[in-house]
Amino acid sequence: QVQLVESGGGLAQPGGSLRLSCLTYGFTFSRYAMTWYRQARGKERELVATISNVGDSTNYAEAVKGRFTISRDNAKSTVYLQMNSLRPEDTAVYYCNADGYCKGSACFRGYRGQGTRVTVSS
C-alpha cells in the first residue's frame, strides 16, 4: 500500500526554522522526482520545491529561494524540506508529492501525502 507520511510541521516564530520529512512506502522511491507543495487557507496550492529522482537537480519557487532546501535520502525513501528564515506568509499545509512520470510507452501515476500544517506566528 502506498503511503506518504509528512511530519515536522508545527508552530514557529518568524525567523525560525522547521524541517519537514516525508517518509514513503509502497513504491520505488528512487524512480520518482519529489515535490513539496503548500496550500494556505483560501489560496490555491503552490509548488514550493522539486528534487530529481537521484537528487542531482532541484528547483524552488521564487518565494522560498535562499531560505528553503529540499533534499532526499533514497536509502530511507524519505524527502526533506529544511525551512529557514520563516515568514508568516509561509503558513500553510505542506504536502509531499511523488511526481508521476512516463518512460517510453509506460506511465506511472503520482502520489500525494495528507499534509502537515506549518504556522509561522509570534
Side-chain angles (χ1 to χ4, degrees), residues 17 29 38 46 52 58 62-63 71 78 91 94 97 111 113 121:
S17 298
F29 180 76
R38 67 185 181 186
E46 63 175 342
S52 63
T58 58
E62 284 296 325
S71 62
T78 302
T91 296
Y94 285 72
N97 191 86
Y111 307 100
S121 175

Side-chain angles (χ1 to χ4, degrees), residues 17-118:
S17 298
L18 287 173
R19 189 192 194 206
L20 306 185
S21 299
C22 175
L23 176 60
T24 71
Y25 306 90
F27 63 97
T28 307
F29 180 76
S30 61
R31 293 181 181 175
Y32 284 78
M34 298 295 295
T35 296
W36 284 97
Y37 291 91
R38 67 185 181 186
Q39 187 165 19
R41 191 166 297 164
K43 294 188 176 181
E44 292 191 357
R45 188 180 72 160
E46 63 175 342
L47 185 149
V48 176
T50 296
I51 188 166
S52 63
N53 65 317
V54 295
D56 59 349
S57 177
T58 58
N59 283 291
Y60 297 90
E62 284 296 325
V64 307
K65 275 184 181 178
R67 300 189 298 122
F68 290 11
T69 302
I70 189 171
S71 62
R72 66 189 296 158
D73 185 336
N74 283 357
K76 296 181 179 179
S77 297
T78 302
V79 61
Y80 306 96
L81 186 68
Q82 177 67 44
M83 305 188 296
N84 298 329
S85 302
L86 283 163
R87 304 168 180 169
E89 54 263 40
D90 295 319
T91 296
V93 177
Y94 285 72
Y95 301 89
C96 72
N97 191 86
D99 300 337
Y101 68 98
C102 292
K103 185 174 182 180
S105 60
C107 290
F108 302 87
R109 59 157 292 180
Y111 307 100
R112 192 177 86 167
Q114 294 299 307
T116 185
R117 183 173 297 277
V118 171

